[in-house]
Amino acid sequence: MTEKSLELKHPYERFLRKERMPHIWCEGCGNGIILNCFVRALDELNIDLNNVVVVSGIGCIGRISGYTNTDSFHTTHGRPIAFATGVKLAKPKLKVVVISGDGDLFAIGGNHFIHAARRNVDITVICANNFIYGMTGGQYGPTTPLEAWTTTTPYGNIEHAFNLVHLAAASGAVYVSRWTALHVRRLKESIKKALQKEGFSFIEAVSQCPEIYGRYNKMKTAISMMKWFKEASEVRNFSDPAKAEISPDKIIVGEFVDIEKPSYGRLLREMKAKLKTKQK
Amino acid sequence: MPVRIWREPLDADKIKVSKAEIHILKDQCKGCDFCIEFCPKQVLETSEELNIKGFHPPIVIDESRCVLCDFCTAICPDFAIFVIEKDCKEGC
């Protein structure tokens, strides 16, 4: 069997930059699963890889732009949405996907996020929410749950966490969903849906960081974090995102918003055409 | 619990049950054990051997039990396992 395995290639190998694999992520990290779901979504949609742009920010998941075999850019901290907006407006035919972490998109890049959602810029944002700043040593961030132990909250976190799906829905995103790293099929379907949708679509992928978050919060291995997802998650499609806060006992997952709204790019082009005819 | 079939279906001999071929790229594995833990049919097991990186990759115990659900391929963060359907034209 080993000889055959050497001959055979992994079915999704063409989506990855082979020279950069294996990736740097720790064993059991959810980022690899998100990358896996993303490439499977690309495979099933049969999208030409030349028309996909992956933009990422800083953080562990920021490395994803280096692993996908598409055009990609690893931006500065918190600015992937700003960069992606520019790419989409300059080349409207491209599918622009932002894959970044919670600290990048909602702490330093929070304003870019809410305003891109308000303008309804035609991009897809996938946020890997691992509850902490994993790359820099496990400091608490805007999504750290109450009472969680992190390296900068040694007596337990006293700040309330962001409810990312509620924030996205309130800011005006046309498609909002949340899945965990265990819901691989539903996450893939969600990514497929978001890629086909016009407007600002947001997917929160709750992922596990066993090394720096799980180990200090009573979940010693990646598997025990996955078991937590399995036990705590509850699928409630189209429920009120305001009530979908993540707590240790319950993670409400599902699609929350799926509406139609003209995108910023389309309105801009229409306005341009209107003004041109007026001038004549 | 799976539904038990207490009578054999009439067309059982005509229908071909597809068989799986599991491939593990041992040196890509980081030993997170997701494929072993979440396999619905318990096809895999942690092996004793070490790979190039010092992890224990999974090993197939019983390939015939696999039902091609593809969940291991989907959940592997390291693209180290994949399942294909066996080519059974000449019987297998």
Side-chain angles (χ1 to χ4, degrees):
Chain A
M1 205 185 78
T2 43
E3 282 169 18
K4 263 188 186 174
S5 305
L6 288 175
E7 285 167 24
L8 279 165
K9 282 181 179 174
H10 194 280
Y12 305 122
E13 205 182 86
R14 67 185 179 99
F15 297 98
L16 304 169
R17 292 186 202 188
K18 196 73 181 102
E19 70 278 8
R20 290 189 174 229
M21 299 307 260
H23 53 59
I24 62 150
W25 298 319
C26 312
E27 68 265 32
C29 177
N31 294 345
I33 302 177
I34 295 168
L35 174 62
N36 197 332
C37 290
F38 177 64
V39 299
R40 273 183 309 128
L42 289 182
D43 181 49
E44 287 185 21
L45 284 177
N46 238 336
I47 301 178
D48 183 6
L49 286 185
N50 293 323
N51 294 333
V52 183
V53 181
V54 176
V55 187
S56 68
I58 300 300
C60 290
I61 188 99
R63 294 281 187 140
I64 205 165
S65 55
Y67 298 134
T68 51
N69 198 8
T70 60
D71 291 328
S72 56
F73 197 77
H74 194 164
T75 66
T76 45
H77 199 5
R79 315 287 171 242
I81 291 182
F83 184 87
T85 307
V87 174
K88 186 69 194 178
L89 293 182
K91 295 258 182 192
K93 277 183 187 169
L94 298 179
K95 286 223 182 290
V96 185
V97 187
V98 173
I99 307 179
S100 202
D102 52 309
D104 184 72
L105 285 173
F106 292 94
I108 188 165
N111 262 301
H112 291 298
F113 180 86
I114 56 175
H115 289 287
R118 177 181 61 81
R119 289 183 192 121
N120 199 18
V121 183
D122 192 4
I123 55 174
T124 302
V125 178
I126 301 168
C127 172
N129 179 5
N130 62 357
F131 311 116
I132 41 143
Y133 287 98
M135 189 173 251
T136 49
Q139 293 83 359
Y140 78 103
T143 50
T144 310
L146 265 179
E147 295 170 9
W149 194 98
T150 69
T151 47
T152 45
T153 56
Y155 304 106
N157 183 23
I158 51 165
E159 291 184 16
H160 295 276
F162 256 141
N163 179 357
L164 303 184
V165 285
H166 185 36
L167 180 71
S171 308
V174 293
Y175 181 80
V176 178
S177 72
R178 173 196 279 153
W179 300 107
T180 71
L182 187 65
H183 296 91
V184 278
R185 287 190 214 283
R186 283 159 162 161
L187 180 59
K188 177 201 70 186
E189 290 301 321
S190 229
I191 296 172
K192 269 165 76 179
K193 219 169 173 180
L195 283 172
Q196 285 167 309
K197 203 151 174 76
E198 186 196 323
F200 190 90
S201 38
F202 173 69
I203 299 162
E204 178 187 352
V206 179
S207 79
Q208 71 276 29
C209 179
E211 282 297 315
I212 299 176
Y213 184 78
R215 275 200 302 153
Y216 301 124
N217 289 284
K218 292 171 191 163
M219 289 170 280
K220 283 191 175 165
T221 57
I223 287 185
S224 52
M225 286 204 87
M226 289 293 243
K227 280 186 179 157
W228 169 49
F229 292 159
K230 195 176 172 183
E231 282 154 20
S233 60
E234 188 182 316
V235 182
R236 263 196 232 161
N237 283 322
F238 301 106
S239 65
D240 187 1
K243 290 173 189 163
E245 279 183 357
I246 295 178
S247 70
D249 318 312
K250 197 169 262 183
I251 307 171
I252 293 172
V253 294
E255 291 177 352
F256 293 93
V257 178
D258 190 359
I259 52 170
E260 300 294 330
K261 213 162 49 171
S263 71
Y264 179 76
R266 200 210 295 187
L267 291 176
L268 182 76
R269 284 190 294 280
E270 279 175 10
M271 180 63 81
K272 263 185 188 169
K274 211 162 112 187
L275 292 177
K276 261 187 189 169
T277 48
K278 248 188 190 176
Q279 276 176 352
K280 281 174 190 172
Chain B
M1 282 292 287
V3 181
R4 221 175 259 171
I5 301 171
W6 59 91
R7 279 182 302 187
E8 201 172 297
L10 293 172
D11 54 353
D13 52 330
K14 286 176 204 160
I15 288 177
K16 272 187 185 170
V17 181
S18 46
K19 286 187 178 164
E21 219 176 279
I22 304 165
H23 295 277
I24 298 163
L25 308 170
K26 281 179 190 160
D27 290 338
Q28 283 213 142
C29 177
K30 281 185 194 157
C32 68
D33 288 359
F34 289 160
C35 51
I36 300 166
E37 179 67 30
F38 296 108
C39 176
K41 293 282 176 187
Q42 285 86 42
V43 175
L44 303 158
E45 205 182 60
T46 316
S47 65
E48 292 288 312
E49 67 171 311
L50 290 168
N51 68 4
I52 232 170
K53 283 182 266 185
F55 293 110
H56 294 286
I59 195 166
V60 181
I61 327 171
D62 188 0
E63 210 169 42
S64 62
R65 273 204 297 228
C66 178
V67 288
L68 279 152
C69 75
D70 226 19
F71 197 71
C72 51
T73 318
I75 207 155
C76 181
D78 298 288
F79 299 90
I81 186 167
F82 61 98
V83 184
I84 52 172
E85 204 180 321
K86 234 181 213 172
D87 188 21
C88 284
K89 272 176 199 164
E90 291 148 20
C92 49

